[in-house]
């Protein structure tokens, strides 16, 4: 093992984006020291603020849906922000509950960057880290652009509405029933509008945090799998060039590396599976509802609102695609490891070493998977099922509301 002199800069490069996002949410776990009192208080305050903002859309929206009569189309239009708020609260709570697991994953990454097992290991890990950063940037771009346009462009594009008794109604991105004050009066309208924009920002940040962590963790695991394949290939070369004692040391390193990868992926699975489940199930419904809203705005000739709904729909689809791509990527990388272990020139190894390779091959054939709630594998097939299910629900919704 060789000490990586640049490991601190490398780790910073890998987790830099997730660090910024999770710090805004007050849940960035420190890996090298205990947080001081000021950091603890700051994190608690940020968590409380985030929860309060998340309820700014959900509570008034649920009250409005329950107590204010409206036509079916308008009631459907207000369901996406309410549902997304509930999803955000569930995902945020999951991140807080699994903060210790996130810390363990980050420590695992930091330890892997400290030492180098083979000469070009650092380059392989940096290559995978770069892919993870690009996925993170893609998710950020679509979520913030699509989401914030929905919170700003959609209500502003509708304009003020004058109803009977010469009363002017100014729209919100999420209509709400406010028991103790009238949100149409200034400055109440401006305050509620700003709170809804901030609430949207927090919701999209939570979504980006889950997607970013998945990208960072899975790409790191894929880099370690690639290193594992190189170690397996080098084992045969070592047996011909050096003695059996050196080969045994290499074999022990392969076994240790394989076990470490599987433990890390199990920890990642435990950390993200419930957040992924909320994302898959909730976004299936949101895609259906957004499609319905797009048709409604098209019939009303409200082009700005329709474009905003299309942008929001695109951001949700891209987010689901990234999660499914990450799951597919780790599966394909695991299959490459399995293929490498099965196609080694094991007959060139000493007999006792070749016999020990059987367990390594058997373990490699059990491919690790990233799931949503333990029963939905994240893959391209799952992405197709989400789209097909959304279209089916959309057709059912159209039948019920017409």
């Amino acid at each position: 093992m060789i000490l990586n002199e640049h490991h601190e800069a490398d780790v910073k490069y890998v987790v830099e984006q997730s660090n910024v996002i999770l710090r805004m949410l007050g849940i960035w776990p420190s890996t090298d020291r205990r947080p001081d009192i000021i950091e603890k208080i700051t994190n608690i305050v940020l968590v409380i603020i985030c929860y309060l903002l998340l309820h700014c859309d959900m509570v008034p929206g649920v009250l409005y849906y329950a107590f204010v009569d409206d036509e079916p189309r308008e009631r459907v239009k207000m369901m996406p922000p309410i549902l997304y708020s509930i999803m955000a609260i569930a995902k945020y709570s999951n991140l807080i509950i699994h903060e210790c697991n996130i810390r363990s994953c980050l420590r695992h990454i930091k330890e892997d960057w400290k030492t180098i097992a083979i000469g070009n290991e650092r380059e392989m890990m940096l290559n995978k880290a770069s892919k993870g950063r690009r996925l993170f940037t893609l998710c950020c771009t679509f979520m913030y652009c699509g989401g914030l346009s929905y919170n700003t462009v959609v209500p502003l594009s509708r304009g003020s509405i004058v109803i009977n008794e010469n009363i002017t109604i100014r729209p919100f991105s999420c209509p709400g029933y406010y028991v103790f004050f009238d949100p149409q009066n200034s400055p109440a309208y401006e305050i509620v509008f700003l709170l809804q924009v901030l609430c949207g920002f927090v919701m999209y940040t939570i979504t980006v945090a889950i997607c970013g962590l998945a990208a960072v963790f899975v790409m790191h695991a894929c880099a370690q799998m690639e290193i594992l394949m190189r170690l397996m290939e080098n084992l045969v070369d070592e047996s011909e060039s050096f003695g059996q004692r050196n080969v045994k040391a290499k074999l022990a390193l392969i076994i240790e590396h394989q076990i470490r990868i599987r433990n890390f992926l199990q920890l990642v699975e435990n950390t993200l599976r419930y957040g992924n489940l909320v994302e898959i199930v909730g976004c299936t419904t949101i895609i259906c509802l957004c499609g319905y809203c797009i048709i409604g705005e098209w019939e009303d000739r409200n082009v700005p609102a329709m474009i905003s709904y299309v942008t929001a729909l695109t951001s949700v689809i891209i987010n689901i695609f990234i999660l499914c791509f990450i799951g597919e990527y780790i599966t394909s990388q695991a299959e490459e490891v399995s293929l490498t272990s099965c196609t080694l020139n094991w007959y060139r190894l000493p007999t006792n070493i070749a016999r020990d390779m059987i367990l390594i091959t058997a373990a490699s054939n059990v491919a690790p998977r990233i799931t949503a709630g333990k029963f939905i594998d994240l893959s391209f097939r799952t992405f197709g099922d989400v789209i097909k299910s959304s279209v089916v629900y959309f057709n059912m919704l159209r039948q019920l509301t017409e």
Side-chain angles (χ1 to χ4, degrees):
M1 289 289 187
I2 304 171
L3 182 64
N4 178 15
E5 298 178 352
H6 310 285
H7 72 274
E8 292 184 0
D10 293 338
V11 171
K12 183 179 179 180
Y13 174 77
V14 171
V15 303
E16 184 177 28
Q17 294 170 316
S18 299
N19 185 352
V20 174
I21 293 296
L22 291 179
R23 281 191 185 277
M24 288 193 295
L25 298 174
I27 52 177
W28 175 256
S30 178
T31 58
D32 54 355
R33 60 180 178 82
R34 290 180 176 272
D36 56 32
I37 298 298
I38 296 178
E39 289 178 337
K40 288 182 179 179
I41 294 175
T42 302
N43 289 339
I44 292 173
V45 170
L46 286 173
V47 169
I48 293 173
I49 292 174
C50 289
Y51 268 118
L52 290 176
L53 287 173
L54 290 173
H55 285 80
C56 286
D57 266 5
M58 188 191 71
V59 175
V62 171
L63 292 176
Y64 187 91
Y65 193 87
F67 297 112
V68 178
D69 292 330
D70 213 335
E71 63 179 43
R73 177 179 292 183
E74 293 301 321
R75 293 173 72 88
V76 171
K77 285 183 180 180
M78 62 179 298
M79 288 177 64
I82 296 175
L83 178 60
Y84 207 84
S85 299
I86 296 173
M87 289 171 53
I89 293 172
K91 291 185 291 186
Y92 190 44
S93 301
N94 179 72
L95 287 174
I96 293 174
I97 291 172
H98 290 94
E99 184 178 351
C100 292
N101 287 346
I102 296 174
R103 180 185 294 108
S104 299
C105 291
L106 293 173
R107 284 177 177 168
H108 198 290
I109 292 174
K110 191 173 182 179
E111 291 170 0
D112 285 341
W113 277 99
K114 281 185 178 180
T115 55
I116 298 176
I118 55 178
N120 59 345
E121 176 178 341
R122 182 170 179 266
E123 287 73 18
M124 287 187 290
M125 293 172 70
L126 285 174
N127 180 44
K128 297 297 183 182
S130 178
K131 290 182 180 179
R133 287 173 65 93
R134 286 197 293 269
L135 288 174
F136 189 93
T137 302
L138 182 66
C139 181
C140 279
T141 301
F142 279 96
M143 286 307 303
Y144 285 124
C145 291
L148 293 179
S149 68
Y150 175 82
N151 285 102
T152 55
V153 176
V154 170
L156 295 177
S157 65
R158 293 172 182 168
S160 300
I161 303 171
V162 180
I163 61 174
N164 297 333
E165 294 130 9
N166 200 24
I167 299 176
T168 301
I169 302 297
R170 293 180 288 182
F172 294 101
S173 60
C174 178
Y177 178 59
Y178 299 87
V179 181
F180 302 106
F181 64 92
D182 184 2
Q184 294 299 321
N185 297 330
S186 294
Y189 175 81
E190 288 77 12
I191 294 174
V192 172
F193 189 91
L194 177 61
L195 287 175
Q196 288 192 352
V197 173
L198 293 175
C199 173
F201 179 80
V202 173
M203 289 191 293
Y204 311 135
T205 302
I206 292 169
T207 301
V208 169
I210 291 181
C211 187
L213 285 176
V216 169
F217 294 159
V218 168
M219 288 302 164
H220 178 77
C222 289
Q224 298 305 308
M225 288 183 181
E226 193 169 327
I227 293 167
L228 179 63
M229 289 188 287
R230 298 292 178 86
L231 289 173
M232 290 181 181
E233 293 168 353
N234 292 342
L235 181 67
V236 177
D237 299 333
E238 289 281 345
S239 67
E240 295 183 342
S241 304
F242 301 95
Q244 184 172 343
R245 185 174 181 180
N246 194 59
V247 174
K248 287 184 177 180
K250 289 288 184 179
L251 180 64
L253 180 61
I254 291 173
I255 295 172
E256 181 182 352
H257 203 75
Q258 187 179 49
I259 293 173
R260 186 171 175 81
I261 293 171
R262 300 189 75 85
N263 290 341
F264 176 70
L265 284 174
Q266 184 60 49
L267 190 60
V268 173
E269 165 70 7
N270 294 338
T271 304
L272 300 177
R273 62 189 175 197
Y274 297 117
N276 292 337
L277 178 63
V278 173
E279 198 73 37
I280 293 292
V281 176
C283 287
T284 302
T285 308
I286 287 178
I287 292 172
C288 160
L289 296 174
C290 282
Y292 181 88
C293 293
I294 290 170
I295 298 297
E297 299 297 348
W298 173 265
E299 293 174 352
D300 296 338
R301 298 295 188 270
N302 190 346
V303 177
M306 185 185 68
I307 293 175
S308 296
Y309 277 118
V310 170
T311 308
L313 176 64
T314 303
S315 65
V316 172
I317 292 176
I318 290 295
N319 183 55
I320 291 294
F321 178 79
I322 290 175
L323 287 177
C324 292
F325 170 79
I326 289 171
E328 184 76 21
Y329 196 86
I330 193 72
T331 301
S332 62
Q333 193 74 40
E335 289 175 353
E336 289 186 22
V337 174
S338 176
L339 181 62
T340 301
S341 66
C342 292
T343 56
L344 280 178
N345 296 329
W346 54 268
Y347 52 85
R348 292 161 58 183
L349 294 170
T351 304
N352 58 335
I353 301 297
R355 190 183 301 116
D356 293 336
M357 284 296 297
I358 295 175
L359 292 178
I360 296 177
T361 303
S364 300
N365 288 334
V366 182
R369 298 183 183 275
I370 302 298
T371 68
K374 286 188 176 182
F375 60 91
I376 302 176
D377 291 337
L378 295 183
S379 63
F380 289 149
R381 182 176 181 178
T382 300
F383 177 74
D385 291 340
V386 167
I387 300 300
K388 288 187 290 185
S389 300
S390 300
V391 173
V392 172
Y393 297 150
F394 167 75
N395 291 328
M396 293 172 58
L397 185 61
R398 291 277 291 177
Q399 292 291 333
L400 292 173
T401 55
E402 288 182 353

